Amino acid sequence: MALKVPIFIVVSKVDLCSHGTVERTVRQLERVFKQPGCNKVPMVVLNPDDAVTAAQQFAQSACITPIFTLSSVSGESLDLLKVFLNILPPLSNSKEQEDLMQQLTEFQVDEIYSVPDVGTVVGGTLYSGVCREGERLVVGPTEDGRFLRLKVDSIQRNRSACRVLKAGQAATLALGNFDRSLLRKGMVMVSPKMNPTICCQFEAAIVLLFHAKTFRQGSQVTVHVGNVRQTATVERLHGKDELRTGERAVVRFHFIKHPEYLRLTAKLLFREGVTKGIGHVTRLLPHNQYLNHDQNLQDY
């Protein structure tokens, strides 16, 4: 909810409890969603007409939160969830995908495997551009901030061979004998034409959702930006000495291990124990080693 991702609720296994217990659970959910911090409009789906209305309103407003109560054992209300899912429109329209396909290739690495007789395989999502079998890309950043050349041997989507991958699609890419130890989650594979901005330091406009004490310079948190996840230190709070729950500020973070590839305006989530906060990237401070793009590309 903090990241403004539309959600709907499925209360399952209703065959294991009484009708009164299910009603109590639904009432609790309704109370939570109506709280000031949530600002959601819960909508309990009881019949096919409700499912159709919920799907239509859900697509138009992120405030609508459908609630389904069902059982996979007895099949109770399972058809209502199917109706809802079948009517839901795709999150991005074809025009947005066309625009992304015109941009340079950028594949976000989420998973890394070693497959017998295939070699190194990466799984992830193509954020922009088009990726084809045999295409040559660069992957990084490495721990010293460089990008390595590689070749995409083959592509699979939903366990089937695929020759072309389009923006917004998830897939696995076989990289042949590329050394798996050089890869990590959070890397990107991009077109050699791109000059990616990588940084150890960046600034973000944040709001502190919860902190037991105070949030100040020197605090360490785990930062999540897209597929990037790394511990970062708070270098500076602009205009403030410390932050308390609910307060906002522009904060400079410093990754403690290695540089990362980030995009301006990207959504950010950070946490440490019970500490939680959200925000978006407002400024990138490029790593000082990356002055000559050609020197940062290495053959492997």
Side-chain angles (χ1 to χ4, degrees):
M1 285 191 287
L3 291 171
K4 295 184 170 52
V5 176
I7 60 171
F8 62 91
I9 306 296
V10 179
V11 181
S12 61
K13 301 183 180 172
V14 299
D15 57 291
L16 296 179
C17 57
S18 66
H19 184 66
T21 302
V22 176
E23 284 191 333
R24 256 197 322 275
T25 302
V26 171
R27 282 199 298 271
Q28 286 175 345
L29 285 167
E30 288 177 327
R31 279 199 298 273
V32 169
F33 288 128
K34 288 176 180 177
Q35 288 175 355
C38 297
N39 296 321
K40 296 285 187 180
V41 180
M43 179 181 179
V44 182
V45 178
L46 301 173
N47 54 58
D49 288 341
D50 287 348
V52 173
T53 304
Q56 291 170 340
Q57 294 188 3
F58 186 74
Q60 295 168 2
S61 171
C63 293
I64 301 297
T65 306
I67 300 176
F68 297 85
T69 56
L70 56 82
S71 166
S72 298
V73 174
S74 67
E76 179 185 341
S77 299
L78 204 55
D79 57 327
L80 301 182
L81 181 61
K82 290 179 180 178
V83 168
F84 174 79
L85 293 173
N86 283 329
I87 295 175
L88 268 185
L91 192 59
S92 61
N93 58 42
S94 54
K95 175 71 168 64
E96 289 174 344
Q97 188 185 34
E98 294 255 342
D99 291 343
L100 284 171
M101 285 170 59
Q102 301 304 315
Q103 299 176 21
L104 292 173
T105 302
E106 180 186 321
F107 182 86
Q108 299 175 335
V109 177
D110 296 325
E111 301 290 343
I112 304 163
Y113 319 93
S114 290
V115 180
D117 302 324
V118 176
T120 302
V121 174
V122 294
T125 304
L126 189 66
Y127 176 80
S128 63
V130 174
C131 182
R132 296 179 173 83
E133 272 189 4
E135 188 153 353
R136 296 187 180 275
L137 302 171
V138 294
V139 64
T142 59
E143 292 198 358
D144 60 355
R146 296 185 178 275
F147 281 74
L148 308 173
R149 292 185 173 95
L150 54 75
K151 179 184 175 185
V152 178
D153 287 351
S154 61
I155 304 172
Q156 281 201 351
R157 288 196 69 223
N158 301 322
R159 303 186 180 224
S160 299
C162 169
R163 290 186 175 271
V164 180
L165 187 64
K166 299 178 181 177
Q169 295 179 337
T172 53
L173 312 183
L175 307 180
N177 61 356
F178 191 90
D179 187 351
R180 175 182 172 173
S181 66
L182 297 172
L183 299 172
R184 59 179 172 80
K185 296 178 184 179
M187 280 184 161
V188 288
M189 293 165 50
V190 298
S191 165
K193 297 177 183 176
M194 188 185 287
N195 190 8
T197 302
I198 57 178
C199 56
C200 279
Q201 296 187 66
F202 68 96
E203 293 182 355
I206 66 159
V207 56
L208 195 62
L209 298 178
F210 181 78
H211 196 289
K213 298 177 183 177
T214 54
F215 185 77
R216 55 165 64 93
Q217 183 177 342
S219 298
Q220 282 196 348
V221 293
T222 301
V223 174
H224 300 258
V225 186
N227 63 333
V228 169
R229 181 182 65 185
Q230 192 183 152
T231 301
T233 302
V234 176
E235 292 277 300
R236 183 189 305 172
L237 279 73
H238 290 283
K240 295 187 178 182
D241 294 326
E242 58 185 31
L243 278 186
R244 297 184 182 275
T245 299
E247 293 184 339
R248 298 172 181 269
V250 174
V251 176
R252 179 174 295 183
F253 291 98
H254 188 288
F255 289 125
I256 67 169
K257 289 180 70 178
H258 44 69
E260 299 281 11
Y261 167 70
L262 301 179
R263 279 191 306 274
L264 283 172
T265 74
K267 289 181 180 177
L268 168 145
L269 178 81
F270 61 89
R271 59 181 178 80
E272 183 56 47
V274 294
T275 301
K276 292 181 179 66
I278 59 169
H280 64 275
V281 178
T282 57
R283 185 184 175 199
L284 303 175
L285 291 98
H287 202 278
N288 56 14
Q289 294 178 10
Y290 315 116
L291 301 177
N292 187 331
H293 176 57
D294 290 334
Q295 289 178 357
N296 295 324
L297 297 180
Q298 286 186 345
D299 287 315
Y300 175 78

